[in-house]
Amino acid sequence: MNSRGDDYLSDSHGNPILDRFGRPVRRRSAPSSGNQRGAQRPARPSRNSAPPPSVEPTRQLDRPTQYIPPQQSAPQQVPGQVGQVNYQPPVQYAGQPPQVPPQQPPRPPKQRRPRRRFRPGCGCFSLVLITVLTLVVVGTLWADSKLNRIDALPDTKAANTAGTNWLLVGSDSRQGLTEDQINTLGTGGDIGAGRTDTIMLLHIPNSGKATLLSIPRDSYVSIPGHGQDKINSAFSIGGPKLLAETVQDATGLRIDHYAEIGFGGFSNMVDAVGGVNMCVKEPINDPLANIDLQEGCQDMSGPTALGYVRTRATAMGDLDRVERQRQFFSTLMDKASSPSTLANPFRLVPLINSTTGSFTVNKSDHVWHLARVAWAMRSGVNTETVPVGGFGDYDVGSVVLWLSLIHISEPTRRTP
């Protein structure tokens, strides 16, 4: 065994131990108690271990040290700020990538509550629509019930033609007028069934403009069952039905509808629409018609308009009158169907009341048929007079003689 006091190492036989160069190996000096062989050497610090507390955070280390975040405590709220916390930045060691502080999600912008605006709902709109439709239906039925209906069309009808033909009659009947109204309107004469001051045929085609044909009341024609006479005599002899049959035989056109209005109804209709503006070509002074008109355009009230369409105090007499009647009737229908009249209840209600109560129609005609007449004339009409061949004096008086051809937009017919 080796002795501790020897300076050189020896083997078990006492011989000195030599190194590779043949030199004896010197014994090492005895280590201190803390560094004796076999004593446990201090453990090398782990990379995952926390740095010693004495090491400053900014001190440079030999190798990068992984950062272990400290144990987080409950967030501290700053007084007066809801949802805000005090942020404590973590300790940053050398060699470690910079730590980005956590960002709180942005607070959504405060949405302003929109102001409530009144908007009519479907319920209000439906209620208004139902109310309007109800008033229209009720008003239409009320106006239709005021029409006077008679059997006015001939029993034997001519061949049907394209479109619709209306026989429009202005009667000189004074029925229903008081003495004051007769004096105001200047009608005079006997009170009775009367004759026809105005006879017109309105042809409404399937497409295109309507045609308004004037028939002079002194036209010399054949009246069925009564021989040759003035055409307005048919009305006084057999009423509307015989007049419609006479016009149908004379023109060859089938009569589909009939409408008649008297003196009082015509005057009331003009007043209901607020008067009609007409342009007078020449001065007209007719005491029988109770008018004294100057040349030029002027507004006419009901009584003045009635005298204007009735007078024959001009050079061409009855031919001038039928021309004035066509112009006035077309202007009157245009104003009666204009938006200024239909949208004004102070004009529309009196118009319906005075017009429907004064109209006489065929038993199968209704107020919506009359509305079609006004609509067809509002878009403009072609105006014509039956071709006149001359005048004659017969036992029935002075008459108007027709030529053999009468032209209406569609179709063309020849008279017998």
Side-chain angles (χ1 to χ4, degrees), residues 222-227 242 245-246 249:
S222 176
I223 300 177
H226 299 276
L242 182 58
E245 185 177 358
T246 302
D249 290 347

Side-chain angles (χ1 to χ4, degrees), residues 173-404:
S173 173
R174 283 82 169 167
Q175 291 182 347
L177 298 180
T178 63
E179 288 295 333
D180 292 339
Q181 290 175 325
I182 291 176
N183 294 331
T184 301
L185 299 177
T187 57
D190 298 331
I191 299 177
R195 295 188 178 184
T196 55
D197 263 16
T198 304
I199 304 174
M200 291 185 290
L201 265 176
L202 176 65
H203 176 73
I204 304 176
N206 295 329
S207 62
K209 282 187 177 183
T211 299
L212 188 62
L213 177 71
S214 295
I215 301 176
R217 72 172 189 173
D218 292 337
S219 299
Y220 193 60
V221 296
S222 176
I223 300 177
H226 299 276
Q228 296 288 122
D229 203 339
K230 293 181 179 181
I231 195 169
N232 69 338
S233 297
F235 185 85
S236 59
I237 295 172
K241 191 166 187 175
L242 182 58
L243 176 63
E245 185 177 358
T246 302
V247 172
Q248 179 177 265
D249 290 347
T251 62
L253 296 175
R254 177 174 178 169
I255 306 301
D256 301 305
H257 301 276
Y258 176 86
E260 172 195 337
I261 189 170
F263 280 164
F266 180 85
S267 177
N268 292 337
M269 185 176 180
V270 174
D271 288 336
V273 298
V276 176
N277 186 273
M278 296 297 297
C279 294
V280 182
K281 295 181 179 180
E282 57 181 324
I284 303 176
N285 185 7
D286 186 2
L288 296 178
N290 200 20
I291 58 171
D292 184 9
L293 301 176
Q294 301 302 316
E295 182 181 357
C297 298
Q298 53 199 284
D299 292 331
M300 296 184 181
S301 62
T304 303
L306 179 61
Y308 178 71
V309 298
R310 290 182 58 230
T311 184
R312 291 189 290 179
T314 53
M316 296 299 293
D318 200 33
L319 296 182
D320 287 340
R321 181 170 71 168
V322 295
E323 182 181 354
R324 290 193 299 271
Q325 289 173 350
R326 289 197 310 267
Q327 294 174 350
F328 190 90
F329 185 69
S330 178
T331 304
L332 178 61
M333 290 295 101
D334 181 66
K335 189 168 185 180
S337 59
S338 65
S340 61
T341 300
L342 299 178
N344 188 349
F346 297 101
R347 286 186 178 179
L348 181 61
V349 174
L351 175 63
I352 295 176
N353 186 47
S354 61
T355 302
T356 54
S358 303
F359 262 103
T360 299
V361 297
N362 186 51
K363 59 183 179 180
S364 61
D365 292 330
H366 297 277
V367 69
W368 44 88
H369 295 130
L370 293 175
R372 187 186 178 195
V373 172
W375 185 259
M377 298 196 65
R378 187 178 183 278
S379 58
V381 294
N382 300 316
T383 58
E384 297 183 15
T385 304
V386 293
V388 175
F391 301 91
D393 289 326
Y394 292 87
D395 54 349
V396 295
S398 179
V399 297
V400 176
L401 302 176
W402 292 6
L403 291 176
S404 60

Side-chain angles (χ1 to χ4, degrees), residues 24-85:
V25 178
R26 186 181 295 273
R27 187 185 301 274
R28 292 185 180 181
S29 59
S32 61
S33 60
N35 293 329
Q36 292 180 0
R37 179 176 292 183
Q40 186 175 2
R41 302 177 67 179
R44 181 176 295 179
S46 173
R47 291 187 180 183
N48 297 330
S49 62
S54 59
V55 178
E56 295 181 359
T58 58
R59 183 179 177 181
Q60 296 291 334
L61 301 180
D62 295 339
R63 61 172 64 97
T65 304
Q66 183 175 1
Y67 167 70
I68 299 178
Q71 184 176 1
Q72 295 183 359
S73 59
Q76 301 178 0
Q77 290 191 349
V78 178
Q81 297 184 4
V82 179
Q84 299 289 338
V85 297

Side-chain angles (χ1 to χ4, degrees), residues 83-97:
Q84 299 289 338
V85 297
N86 255 347
Y87 171 71
Q88 299 293 340
V91 180
Q92 181 72 32
Y93 293 96
Q96 181 179 354

